Each structure stands twice: as structure tokens, then as C-alpha cells.
Amino acid sequence: METIVLGIGETLVRDDRRWSSWADWLGVPPHTLSALVGAAVAQGHDAADALRTLRPGMDVEAAYRARSVAGRGEHLDESDLYQDVRPALGELRAAGVRVVVAGNGSARAGELLRALDLPADLVVTSAEWGVRKPDPEFFARVAEAAEAPPSATLYVGDHPADDLFPAAAAGLRTAHLRRGPYGHWWADHPDVVETAEFRIDALTELVALVRPPGAEAAGAGAVGSDAEGAGGEGPAEEEADGEETDAAGAAREGARRGALRSVR
């Protein structure tokens, strides 16, 4: 693996502060909004639909701008990072892997993330690129930023439809992270199991994917007890070698067309 690209929300950054601040802005208890977010996730809907449930017809972008004008915009500091972020990213870079952080977020989020001085070669948000996940153009930009072949680039994220499926469609290797509402709720869905080359519980497990120069391809096979493609004999390895069978390709396409296509 030459490059590892990671999403932002619920991959690197906890969303606690985000939803708590929205609850405060709307004047509702945080647990009420959290429960509605959970309901949206379980139904395969956009988590922001929780805001529209509380305020039907709400223009979320307009409300975001109003919060910023009122001095209650985004904030991000070290406490918002998951504890495994710095150790994992630091070890990956020490092993010679290019580390890219690229996910949905505002330009302000990009500024705040870069101010944390993460051990990453590039930190960029969708607003800065002018395109959001799951748009294929976003993953085209990811492939460009990776500075490595797709077969040597791993995209890591928690969200099946925003991270896993479009990254796989773009030819990138994929790791699904059991983290956050989407990551946990949909972890064992057949489409996720079929599409994810690796399934991990912590970012520190990514270090096991880093192979020394000259290592056998099979060395990338096992990450935790749920690693897919172990031994280099599964569809994921065939795709990496450019030799994916028609059956494997059909299965992967079927996964992308599965029940989680509506998850945003």
C-alpha cells in the first residue's frame, strides 16, 4: 500500500460537538437530536434529515451560514479527534506511506483540521475541492491526490454510500471502519461485507497493511479478524491485479446497487 486516504467525520473526528451545537442552535435537548440522527441512519437516510424533522423545510446550508454570522459556527480542537488518529497516522507516515485526509466538510473545517498539524501529507475538504462525496468527481480528485496507482491506494471511511461504494467504483481499494452510527449500524450488511476489502475497528489496524518493499502481495491480506481477501485469493486481490472475473465484477456492481444506495 503506497497511499492511505481517510475520510473526516466519524473516521478522524467525533461528531458529538457537531450535533450538540445544532441542538443548542435549534433549542432542543441534545439527546432528542441524537435520537433523530440514529433514526435517520437506521433508515438509510441523510443524517441531516434529523434537522429537517425538527424544522420541516429547513435549509441546512442557510442555517449553517446564520450560525457562523452569529458567532456560533464550527469549532474543532484536539478533543474532537478519536484517540487512535495521531498514533495511526504517525505510524503510517513513519512506514513511508503517503497519508491523505479528504472528506466532506466546509472550508472552515479544512482550516481547523490543518491547524491541528496532523501527521498527514495533505488535508482537504469537499468545499475546497468544490465537489462532495459520493460524487465520482470527488474520488477522481482522491485518485489524483493519492499520487499512487488505484491498486496501491486505500480509502478508509465509515459511511457505506459516501465512502465505501463510490471508492470501490472508482477502482480504489477500500476499508470500512466500524465507527460512528453509520459504521456500526451497517457494518454487517451484505453489501458492505461484499464490497469492503478490509473491515476494521480502529485506525491502528491500518498499520498492518503496510508492507515492506519486496513483500509478497498476500502480506496485505489480514487486518483484524474480519479482513477480506486474506491470502490474496479473493476478488479484492483479483481486482488489484487487474484480473477481476466477470462474476466478481457483477457481485461488486450488485453491492453498489444494493439497499444502501439511498444512504447519504
Side-chain angles (χ1 to χ4, degrees), residues 116-158:
L116 293 178
D117 194 25
L118 295 171
D121 297 281
L122 175 67
V123 176
V124 64
T125 65
S126 58
E128 293 168 326
W129 272 350
V131 61
R132 287 177 60 84
K133 297 183 295 185
D135 193 306
E137 179 58 28
F138 180 93
F139 289 92
R141 296 294 297 269
V142 166
E144 180 181 353
E147 299 183 3
S151 62
T153 300
L154 181 74
Y155 194 87
V156 183
D158 66 294

Side-chain angles (χ1 to χ4, degrees), residues 18-72:
R18 173 193 177 194
W19 295 116
S20 179
S21 64
W22 271 113
D24 183 57
W25 178 257
L26 296 175
V28 300
H31 78 271
T32 298
L33 181 53
S34 294
L36 291 172
V37 169
V41 169
Q43 295 174 52
H45 295 165
D46 186 344
D49 285 347
L51 301 175
R52 302 183 186 96
T53 298
L54 290 168
R55 298 290 185 273
M58 176 181 180
D59 184 330
V60 177
E61 290 300 321
Y64 170 84
R65 292 191 294 270
R67 286 180 52 193
S68 297
V69 170
R72 297 167 67 178

Side-chain angles (χ1 to χ4, degrees), residues 9-264:
E10 292 299 347
T11 296
L12 302 185
V13 176
R14 299 161 55 104
D15 278 348
D16 309 47
R17 189 195 299 271
R18 173 193 177 194
W19 295 116
S20 179
S21 64
W22 271 113
D24 183 57
W25 178 257
L26 296 175
V28 300
H31 78 271
T32 298
L33 181 53
S34 294
L36 291 172
V37 169
V41 169
Q43 295 174 52
H45 295 165
D46 186 344
D49 285 347
L51 301 175
R52 302 183 186 96
T53 298
L54 290 168
R55 298 290 185 273
M58 176 181 180
D59 184 330
V60 177
E61 290 300 321
Y64 170 84
R65 292 191 294 270
R67 286 180 52 193
S68 297
V69 170
R72 297 167 67 178
E74 288 183 85
H75 180 76
L76 187 66
D77 62 32
E78 192 73 21
S79 68
D80 295 298
L81 296 177
Y82 278 99
Q83 292 186 346
D84 59 357
V85 171
R86 286 195 182 277
L89 271 57
E91 286 190 62
L92 290 170
R93 289 193 79 194
V97 175
R98 177 171 171 79
V99 175
V100 174
V101 174
N104 284 346
S106 65
R108 174 62 175 161
E111 295 171 358
L112 292 169
L113 279 169
R114 287 188 289 273
L116 293 178
D117 194 25
L118 295 171
D121 297 281
L122 175 67
V123 176
V124 64
T125 65
S126 58
E128 293 168 326
W129 272 350
V131 61
R132 287 177 60 84
K133 297 183 295 185
D135 193 306
E137 179 58 28
F138 180 93
F139 289 92
R141 296 294 297 269
V142 166
E144 180 181 353
E147 299 183 3
S151 62
T153 300
L154 181 74
Y155 194 87
V156 183
D158 66 294
H159 198 303
D162 278 3
D163 298 322
L164 179 61
F165 300 157
L172 304 174
R173 302 178 77 173
T174 57
H176 181 251
L177 176 63
R178 294 188 190 91
R179 177 173 286 174
Y182 286 103
H184 283 289
W185 185 261
W186 296 105
D188 296 319
H189 190 283
D191 290 354
V192 172
V193 174
E194 178 68 31
T195 306
E197 184 173 352
F198 305 101
R199 296 192 295 148
I200 61 175
D201 295 303
L203 296 180
T204 46
E205 294 178 49
L206 294 171
V207 180
L209 291 177
V210 180
R211 293 172 292 155
E216 294 295 324
V223 183
S225 60
D226 290 321
E228 300 293 328
E233 296 178 356
E237 288 297 329
E238 293 172 350
E239 182 183 28
D241 294 336
E243 300 175 355
E244 184 177 29
T245 65
D246 291 343
R252 190 173 293 276
E253 182 61 25
R256 289 195 294 270
R257 291 198 303 266
L260 293 179
R261 284 190 64 188
S262 63
V263 180
R264 301 283 293 180

